[in-house]
Amino acid sequence: MQNAPPPPLAPTPSPPPTPPLAGIMREPRSARGAYYNQRWALVVPILFLDFLVVSLPGGVLPVIINDEFGARSYSLVGWAQTTKGVLAFLTSPALGSCSDAVGRKWLFLLTVLGTACPNAALGLGFSLEVHLVLVGLSGLFAATFPLAFAYIADSVPPHERASAYGVAIGCGLGGAYLIGPPIGAVVNERYGSHAVFQVCLWISIVNALFATLAMRETDRPPPPPMRELLRRANPFGRWLLMTSDDP
């Protein structure tokens, strides 16, 4: 008597297919919550308009400064830029540290206005002497890009920050210097040099209003203790920390 063959085994269910590149395991935006969002993109037009104010009179300003001050032009501009650099070195770490405690938006707006102030003042009819003084004092608010990057870092996950920083620099700074000088030259040729600075003034007003109304404060991490904030605000301490071999 022949034995009956064993019944066929039931097929083992295959595991569900793995999505392509799922090994990267990017956390879905819903899981990240409101901490990460697209609000960082507002930084780009604000930076563009801010540095458009700087670049517009790029071909006009050296000529009128030389006409006004003659042989003293280079030394006056040099002292103004040196003062700006020294003040930026002293105050930029403090602004960045302060933004960790009080927020990014209003300090970023302050630096935007500080950058635009020297050229916008000429649009209001102030003298070149006032302009050069404001160039030097604008170093107090020369943390535009550090605060812009802090705003981006609060709104963008780590693996996307490099591209976001590149967009901010390329479209904001690069775009402004790409089209600013030619536009300034055309306005100067048709309407005169004062019209160039009046355009700078109106761009500054529009940019300030846009930043005030459109930007929202970021959901930044909790601020560190006051002692740590003061340590970060010390430019010499930060310099020693960067040059030390300690991890």
Side-chain angles (χ1 to χ4, degrees), residues 92-112:
S92 291
L95 287 172
S97 180
C98 188
S99 74
D100 290 336
V102 303
R104 319 291 191 198
K105 174 182 175 178
W106 296 110
L107 285 177
F108 178 61
L109 178 59
L110 181 65
T111 62
V112 166

Side-chain angles (χ1 to χ4, degrees), residues 39-225:
R39 72 180 63 171
W40 71 269
L42 292 171
V43 168
V44 177
I46 295 171
L47 287 175
F48 172 78
L49 293 176
D50 193 34
F51 285 94
L52 188 62
V53 173
V54 177
S55 64
L56 266 173
V60 178
L61 195 55
V63 176
I64 63 176
I65 289 179
N66 188 62
D67 291 342
E68 178 72 18
F69 300 112
R72 296 188 301 149
S73 300
Y74 295 103
S75 61
L76 291 174
V77 173
W79 279 112
Q81 295 292 344
T82 300
T83 303
K84 178 180 179 179
V86 171
L87 292 178
F89 171 76
L90 294 174
T91 61
S92 291
L95 287 172
S97 180
C98 188
S99 74
D100 290 336
V102 303
R104 319 291 191 198
K105 174 182 175 178
W106 296 110
L107 285 177
F108 178 61
L109 178 59
L110 181 65
T111 62
V112 166
L113 294 176
T115 302
C117 183
N119 290 342
L122 291 176
L124 290 171
F126 287 95
S127 65
L128 285 172
E129 288 86 353
V130 173
H131 166 80
L132 292 176
V133 170
L134 291 176
V135 168
L137 294 179
S138 67
L140 291 169
F141 313 106
T144 306
F145 273 102
L147 290 178
F149 289 165
Y151 191 92
I152 291 173
D154 290 342
S155 307
V156 176
H159 62 272
E160 296 178 5
R161 287 175 189 167
S163 60
Y165 296 155
V167 170
I169 294 177
C171 298
L173 181 66
Y177 277 94
L178 177 65
I179 70 171
I183 294 176
V186 171
V187 173
N188 176 61
E189 183 178 351
R190 294 189 177 184
Y191 306 105
S193 60
H194 185 62
V196 177
F197 298 105
Q198 286 183 321
V199 172
C200 292
L201 173 62
W202 283 108
I203 292 176
S204 301
I205 294 172
V206 170
N207 198 23
L209 290 174
F210 175 72
T212 301
L213 298 176
M215 289 186 74
R216 297 291 181 266
E217 190 54 74
T218 59
D219 301 320
R220 65 189 184 282

